[in-house]
Amino acid sequence: HPAHKRANVVAGLAGAETILYFLAGMQPQLDGSLRLNPQPPKVGSISLKGFRLHGQTINLQLDRKMCRVTVNGKVVYNGPPKP
């Protein structure tokens, strides 16, 4: 990237980081695991598809009343968002 365009890349990554870490509640742990503590939106829904971490594919669907998480296509949580 040319030097004058690097700020755009950083700004785009900061937006993605906000979605991953705050809204989706993704918290990478020191042992390589991933802790999820999603923050349900007050209106609408959040859907994250195909997030790759350590060779695994994670999908998240979230609204005020429902949270569904799959890892490599297997449902690991399906129920209300936990506080």
Side-chain angles (χ1 to χ4, degrees):
H1 297 284
H4 68 280
K5 293 190 177 188
R6 288 193 182 133
N8 290 340
V9 172
V10 171
L13 292 174
E17 183 178 41
T18 299
I19 292 169
L20 293 175
Y21 295 124
F22 179 69
L23 295 175
M26 293 187 168
Q27 302 169 354
Q29 304 297 299
L30 292 175
D31 66 359
S33 65
L34 180 67
R35 182 170 185 253
L36 290 175
N37 184 23
Q39 305 300 310
K42 293 182 181 183
V43 178
S45 63
I46 296 171
S47 181
L48 179 66
K49 296 179 182 176
F51 180 75
R52 302 271 304 159
L53 181 69
H54 302 298
Q56 301 202 37
T57 303
I58 301 164
N59 296 318
L60 170 71
Q61 296 168 317
L62 177 68
D63 63 32
R64 281 183 331 134
K65 298 180 181 180
M66 181 60 71
C67 179
R68 179 181 173 96
V69 180
T70 63
V71 178
N72 297 328
K74 179 182 176 187
V75 176
V76 295
Y77 183 79
N78 190 28
K82 296 180 179 179

